[in-house]
Amino acid sequence: MSMSDPVADMLTRIRNGQMSEKISVRMPSSKLKKAIAQVLKDEGYIEDFAERNAEGLPEIEVALKYYAGAPVIEKIARVSRPGLRVYKGRDDLPRVMNGLGIAIVSTSRGVMTDRKARSLGVGGEVLCIVS
């Protein structure tokens, strides 16, 4: 059975892993998932991530981050989905929690945060929000 929304599956695995206080979670790898994991690492929401081969198939292992016993990621939600893609111009990119959170955007210049996209003057598909 094929997966209809691999990015939503990634976000759900991270959310479930943090609710059950796991050290890390594993998921099938793709370029988009690696780019999202890199943005989460750069912004300090996860410890690290690594690509590994499990039985010949590439996997990403994401090391989750906690502060004072609580997960660093309070909310992680998919915005654009296969049934309804959400595209925003540079002026319409969402501000998550008035700038305290981030929106991850897929642009023509790669996957980045909403702040970086605004500074570069590009818009794109809003993948998810993190706070």
Side-chain angles (χ1 to χ4, degrees), residues 87-117:
Y87 297 97
K88 299 287 183 180
R90 66 175 183 204
D91 299 325
D92 299 326
L93 289 172
R95 290 188 191 275
V96 181
M97 292 179 62
N98 217 8
L100 295 177
I102 62 168
I104 299 178
V105 183
S106 176
T107 69
S108 57
R109 297 193 187 175
V111 177
M112 60 186 73
T113 65
D114 57 323
R115 274 177 259 144
K116 187 172 179 185

Side-chain angles (χ1 to χ4, degrees), residues 20-40:
S20 61
E21 299 178 356
K22 298 226 180 254
I23 296 169
S24 66
V25 291
R26 289 182 171 197
M27 63 207 69
S29 179
S30 74
K31 287 181 182 179
L32 181 59
K33 289 180 187 179
K34 284 189 277 189
I36 291 171
Q38 184 64 50
V39 170
L40 289 174

